[in-house]
Amino acid sequence: MTTLESPTRQVVAPRIFDGRVAVVTGGTRGIGAAITQELVKHGAHVAAGYNRDLDTASRLRDELTASGGSISIHQGNVGEPGDCGRVIEDVLSTHGRVDFLVNNAGITLDKTVRRMSLDDWHAVMHINISGAFYMIKAVLEHMLERGSGRIVNLSSVIGQTGNIGQANYAASKAALFGLSQSLALETARKGITVNCVAPGFIETEMVSAIPEEILKSIVDKVPVRRLGRPSEVARVVRFLLEDDAAYITGAVYTVNGGMSP
Ligand code: NAP
């Protein structure tokens, strides 16, 4: 058992991931930080990726290390295949294994299709879907050689429903379903599972960028009538990484307060 303390509560969790190594892209902020905390709390070493925000990444590393957790932080742009390969190589050279890949890094650039430039379209598609593909390419041979691995891709309810002003984001998140289901079929007999988690509206900086009035109208449409918490998404990701989830692959788990896709 390990104990990680936060100012508000003390969490004791079974170390089900002792000896396991996870790579979490965008793992130092928002939902990604919650996933990192959840996996560290359960005994994994987490290699948490970040792109620009070194201060936030360093703070999370220092906090979790001080609580007895095992975490390293890795700068890299998931839109650059070379960066993805370098991060995986760094983790392999230090730890010798990658058990879990969580493709969580993502961006939005919201505009209606009429106003959306080609650059807006390509930027979001590039980071959200090609970035996940580049990370998978960087780690897949290693997982195949070991005959085991877990991949979880963070999609979104918007990839299931579409949304005004989010055609690029919705397309990129829907594309993650196709990527995940195809890879799940390709690796089903090789000890690797590939799944998607599709959150609804979760309290992070990505959502706090939405104007207050629009946010209120969004919450009114959520049957549970509140935003989700990053930790509520993180627990589902953790479940999909557990040994007991070996029979779940090519699936989409929604965490959306009852919004029907
Ligand atoms: P967030 O708070 O904006 O954090 C995004 C994370 O991705 C940051 O750690 C950021 O790194 C990283 N990132 C962005 N661009 C990157 C790049 N090019 N290369 C590497 N890392 C990059 O986002 P979030 O709200 O936690 O969302 C996390 C994931 O869940 C995203 O895929 C998002 O689409 C999905 N999601 C979120 C919601 C929601 O309501 N929040 C709902 C559904 C799905 P830096 O900190 O270094 O910039």
Side-chain angles (χ1 to χ4, degrees):
M1 304 280 269
T2 188
T3 302
L4 293 177
E5 290 179 28
S6 76
T8 50
R9 62 183 186 142
Q10 189 180 65
V11 180
V12 179
R15 296 185 62 97
I16 53 173
F17 294 143
D18 252 345
R20 310 290 178 87
V21 176
V23 173
V24 181
T25 68
T28 59
R29 238 182 345 116
I31 294 171
I35 295 169
T36 295
Q37 285 170 319
E38 182 73 12
L39 304 188
V40 165
K41 194 168 82 181
H42 285 82
H45 173 83
V46 176
Y50 69 97
N51 188 29
R52 295 184 181 152
D53 193 350
L54 172 62
D55 286 351
T56 302
S58 304
R59 262 200 308 279
L60 183 70
R61 179 197 54 201
D62 295 348
E63 188 188 306
L64 290 180
T65 304
S67 312
S70 182
I71 172 177
S72 50
I73 55 173
H74 302 260
Q75 194 284 326
N77 178 356
V78 296
E80 295 288 341
D83 285 11
C84 298
R86 171 177 52 75
V87 168
I88 295 295
E89 283 308 315
D90 284 352
V91 177
L92 285 177
S93 69
T94 309
H95 297 279
R97 61 194 285 166
V98 174
D99 298 276
F100 313 138
L101 168 64
V102 181
N103 279 313
N104 165 79
I107 60 167
T108 51
L109 271 175
D110 296 351
K111 286 187 185 115
T112 59
V113 170
R114 286 183 75 190
R115 292 171 191 274
M116 190 178 289
S117 69
L118 299 187
D119 285 349
D120 297 333
W121 171 264
H122 286 302
V124 171
M125 294 301 280
H126 188 60
I127 299 306
N128 292 3
I129 181 67
S130 299
F133 177 74
Y134 297 154
M135 286 302 298
I136 287 166
K137 288 286 281 179
V139 81
L140 189 59
E141 288 308 318
H142 168 72
M143 288 184 172
L144 288 169
E145 271 165 31
R146 292 187 57 228
S148 86
R150 293 267 195 279
I151 298 172
V152 175
N153 296 318
L154 268 290
S155 180
S156 168
V157 68
I158 302 303
Q160 299 170 301
T161 61
N163 198 21
I164 293 170
Q166 293 201 300
N168 51 359
Y169 183 75
S172 71
K173 293 297 178 181
L176 280 171
F177 298 137
L179 169 63
S180 305
Q181 284 159 345
S182 304
L183 185 61
L185 293 174
E186 292 175 14
T187 58
R189 289 196 292 161
K190 304 189 171 121
I192 298 170
T193 67
V194 189
N195 292 290
C196 277
V197 172
F201 291 91
I202 309 297
E203 272 174 340
T204 70
E205 281 170 39
M206 188 177 270
V207 163
S208 55
I210 299 173
E212 206 178 311
E213 261 178 39
I214 297 178
L215 199 56
K216 189 181 171 309
S217 70
I218 288 171
V219 171
D220 285 344
K221 286 189 202 124
V222 179
V224 170
R225 290 288 188 278
R226 66 167 173 84
L227 297 175
R229 301 180 191 104
S231 61
E232 291 173 313
V233 179
R235 284 190 198 118
V236 176
V237 174
R238 185 249 295 161
F239 162 71
L240 289 169
L241 301 178
E242 289 180 17
D243 290 345
D244 285 349
Y247 203 59
I248 303 170
T249 195
V252 177
Y253 275 62
T254 58
V255 187
N256 62 24
M259 292 174 79
S260 73

